[in-house]
Amino acid sequence: MFATLQYFGAGFQNLITVENILLMFLGLLVGITFGAIPGLNSVIAISLCLPLTFNMNVYSSFILLIALYIGAVSGGLISAILINIPGTGNSVATTYDGFPMAMKGQARRALSIGVVYSCLGTIFGILVLVFASPVLSEIALKFSPYDYFGVLIFATSLISVLAGESMLKGLAVGFIGLLVATIGIAPIDGFPRFSFGIKALESGFPVLPTIVGSFVIAEVVRATRGAADTMTEVDYSKEKKSLFGFSLKEFIGQLKNFFLSAIIGTGIGILPGIGGNASNLLAYAAVKKTSKHPEKFGTGIMDGLVASETANNATVGGAMIPLLCLGIPGDGSTTVLLAALMIQGLTPGPTLFNNNPVLMYTIFAAMVLASIGMVIVESLGIPLFVKMLKVPKHILMPIILLFCAIGAYSSNNSIFSVWTLFIAGLLGYALVCGGFPRAPFVLGFVLSQTLEEKFRACMQLGHNSIAAFFQAPVCCAFIVITVVMLAFIALGHFRKSRGAK
Amino acid sequence: MKQTLWKKIKCFPDVISGAILLAVCCVFYTQLGEIKQFSSLSDSVGPRFFPKIVLIVLMVLAVGIIITGIPSGRKRLQKLKAETPAEAESVPEDRPAGNVFRRVMHVVDTNPTVRSWISILGIFFFILLMKPLGFAISGALYLFVQFSLLAPPNKRKLWLYAIIAVVVSFGAYLLFRYAIQINLPAGLLKYIL
């Protein structure tokens, strides 16, 4: 413990220079901007700034890159709350209660809650990273494809919690997400599927334009129709100004939701291939499921915001665990961070932990500093963000769409990504018109590839035996939990519909 | 007559969505055979297996949506029939006098469905023209059309929208192309810049 604190102290000492602090704030500003513009994300921000670090020392380069990462993950909440369009896939669930809260004239409160819980989520993830990473990474390494499949099948079943009023519609949308993700190259053997003779479709739909598109086009078209919820001018001038946007009593009341979401976020971060795109939705579903008042979710309550923003930022700490302890990147952002480490001549893994503990703790300290800096930057920016709402919607919405198109294009420098934005947008709009929820689509789409990959790996390992799934204890436990949960949810819906009759 | 039939069909939104979903699933299902897989996997779990499972479940769900949508649709239909003929009859619209442009704008302003279709088409053409015209020009045209369409009729300032559209689109293009090094399509601008 004492050694840990000593290393931490040395880490902070390495970082606290005027140059590094300026770099951190620059990284945060750029990261938050990239996160807030729908279509741009942390991967693009870090990739674009990576060449700048070539001539920097290792400490400066890491404070910059980590500030970009943390800023971009958190920045998505701004557009999610203010215009109902998630800046990145990490903030999809933030729209559910953040936007209704803003529409009630509490945009400042919603942003403050989001910012504070983003910081707390990041710090929770860092604490887990510091104190439990060696143990957790060992457990993650021992995870068999069966165990992984068990976790994934449970995560996928949470679609039913996000289903909303109609279980049938919610499940259908979740399965549409699973189906859309099967378009393109199949995992394991790499054969193209459902390309319908279109070359571009052979590589499948890119993730970010698909997620953002399913929201942005629907919002622009709804605004065109003059839908009340997007065109109403809300008076924010009467909103009470407070430091954090919530009271101590509310904070204590949210502790359960915070810890549940933080654990889900960190856990999802540790497992490669899922990431923040899913963790915010999974935490939202879990908090809703365990809430005493699930019917209030989606009306602008604090619980939903806490769940989403805590989980997506806790995923940052979780994702750093396999990266730093094992050298395994779990998502796009950590892959670029791995490249940055290697450029500096460092190979992450157990040896780095043992041979250069000060460097590792400097990275942890950079994460702590960046998350505190994020609160400062975003809190100072809140009045400015709220002023953005005063821009007439007929000017703001098309400009947002223009930036989304830039974001989609930049994800792989191709027009096909912009078409993806459009196609996903049409689908999102059709879902809204048909009274279908959009969240299950995102969850199904994000989980599909990994779910199929692990399922096929299990079938190959077990020579096509379904019994093998029940012989792996972790997998079996998750399957049982999933079945019980689904039975309860179905029973609840059945009772509700009987009661309504 | 056509309008009445359309109104009746619109009473069954879930049946329509379920039917569309079912049709899409059938199209995908017919494509399953087109997916290549190793011959040794023909009886096992190949690249066709997972989409097949997903499609079967989706088809069952689509049928479920259709079936559960019928009773609620019938209720809506009865409600529609209960409306008095006078209520059901469409009220003739007051058409503004003036040139064709004014008449077209009147239709656009009073009809949300027309506005949303123009908006979708606007986005479609923005993407379609992005390569030949370039991001900046295509974006400026899109912004101008969309600003004008979204603006409340009594507050429309076309000259201001034109300026904002050009400044934002060209500004974003220059910023992302030269400062952030994202190679957005130059189109016609490649002859100038």
Side-chain angles (χ1 to χ4, degrees), chain A residues 34 37 40 44 48 166-169 171-173 175-176 178-179 182-183 186-187 189 191-196 217 220-221 223-226 231 393-399 401-403 405-406 409-410 413 415 418-419 421-422 426 429 434 436 448-449 451-452 455-456 459-460 464, chain B residues 14 17 21 25 27-29 31-32 35-38 41 43-51 53-55 57-58 61 64-65 68 112-113 115-116 119-120 123-124 126-128 130-131 135 139-140 142-143 146-147 149-152 161 164 168-169 172 176 180-185:
Chain A
F34 269 65
I37 297 174
L40 297 177
I44 301 170
L48 285 171
S166 163
M167 175 75 115
L168 271 176
K169 283 184 174 181
L171 285 176
V173 176
F175 274 84
I176 293 173
L178 290 170
L179 180 68
T182 63
I183 297 171
D189 34 28
F191 287 120
R193 297 186 293 200
F194 304 125
S195 59
F196 298 95
I217 306 244
V220 173
V221 178
T224 320
R225 289 184 72 92
M231 295 300 277
K393 292 279 187 293
H394 63 275
I395 303 283
L396 186 66
M397 298 303 274
I399 293 176
L401 189 118
L402 192 88
F403 279 97
I406 296 175
Y409 185 86
S410 62
N413 274 338
I415 292 273
V418 192
W419 281 118
L421 188 86
F422 181 69
L426 288 185
Y429 184 56
F436 289 79
S448 181
Q449 192 108 16
L451 182 72
E452 182 185 2
F455 176 69
R456 288 184 61 190
M459 291 299 272
Q460 280 178 2
N464 298 332
Chain B
D14 288 352
S17 357
L21 184 58
C25 287
V27 172
F28 271 80
Y29 205 90
Q31 290 292 307
L32 274 176
I35 300 170
K36 287 178 194 161
Q37 65 177 20
F38 295 116
L41 287 173
D43 298 323
S44 160
V45 185
R48 292 175 195 165
F49 187 82
F50 185 76
I53 299 276
V54 172
L55 280 167
V57 177
L58 252 181
L61 290 168
I65 292 170
T68 53
T113 314
R115 274 207 305 279
S116 47
S119 197
I120 291 170
I123 301 167
F124 175 81
F126 160 51
I127 303 170
L128 192 73
M130 199 183 275
K131 218 157 190 179
F135 177 86
Y142 162 71
L143 285 182
Q146 191 77 79
F147 289 158
L149 205 64
L150 280 168
Y161 299 156
I164 299 175
V168 171
S169 187
F176 279 88
I180 309 181
Q181 306 288 326
I182 292 174
N183 272 332
L184 292 167

Side-chain angles (χ1 to χ4, degrees), chain A residues 130-217:
Chain A
V130 172
F131 294 104
S133 49
V135 183
L136 286 175
S137 49
E138 258 180 51
I139 295 172
L141 256 191
K142 284 178 187 161
F143 245 52
S144 71
Y146 290 104
D147 304 331
Y148 215 121
F149 177 76
V151 174
L152 283 167
I153 204 80
F154 175 69
T156 312
S157 72
L158 287 172
I159 284 173
S160 56
V161 182
L162 297 168
E165 292 287 303
S166 163
M167 175 75 115
L168 271 176
K169 283 184 174 181
L171 285 176
V173 176
F175 274 84
I176 293 173
L178 290 170
L179 180 68
V180 172
T182 63
I183 297 171
I185 300 287
I188 300 179
D189 34 28
F191 287 120
R193 297 186 293 200
F194 304 125
S195 59
F196 298 95
I198 303 165
K199 195 88 186 148
L201 270 184
E202 284 181 8
S203 51
F205 290 114
V207 177
L208 189 65
T210 309
I211 297 176
V212 173
S214 63
F215 283 82
V216 70
I217 306 244

